[in-house]
Amino acid sequence: MTQAADQIQNTLGYLDSLDDEFGLVYNLTGNKNSDEMDAGGMVILDGFLPTLYSGNERADQQLGMGEVHGHLAEHERIVVITLYDLYQLIQEDEANLFDEYLRWRTGYEGNMPVWGFSEREYWAFYFDNYRTNEEFRQGVEEAAEKDIITVYISTRFNDKSHLQNLTNRNLD
């Protein structure tokens, strides 16, 4: 992952050096001046295992992912996602809001106040709670200011209704 983060830096540096008449730089803000852009990178890993990269430097240090932060420039935006998670997310109703989601997901500069097991958890947190509830948004922003981390497990991607059947069988 650190090599991918370095490659993002190299690519952004190269694209910054171009006269970007073709709009090659992925630009979330609509600005053409690179100093005004929200630019960054996405690392896509093949497989099903969670990446454990949260975007919170303190949590990532404890999970063995802290080295990634050392490879990022200040204000650099990065999302690490598995191919499986990416596939699942583009099936969701909100897939057309992916840019909006990425701005939120990368907007805490190493202090993401939410920790999820996979990118699907962050997606569910954003669309099922954060985006729809002003009080929730204020609580998340306050958590970021106070360096509080909330672990989130979604009902959207974690249907455990089958466990009820296991419990009922043991009672018979």
Side-chain angles (χ1 to χ4, degrees), residues 55-68:
N56 183 296
E57 191 167 1
R58 183 169 54 99
D60 291 339
Q61 289 289 346
Q62 293 176 1
L63 294 168
M65 301 299 294
E67 188 178 332
V68 174

Side-chain angles (χ1 to χ4, degrees), residues 110-122:
N111 195 29
M112 170 54 92
V114 179
W115 188 87
F117 187 68
S118 70
E119 201 62 34
R120 289 171 287 147
E121 303 297 350
Y122 295 102

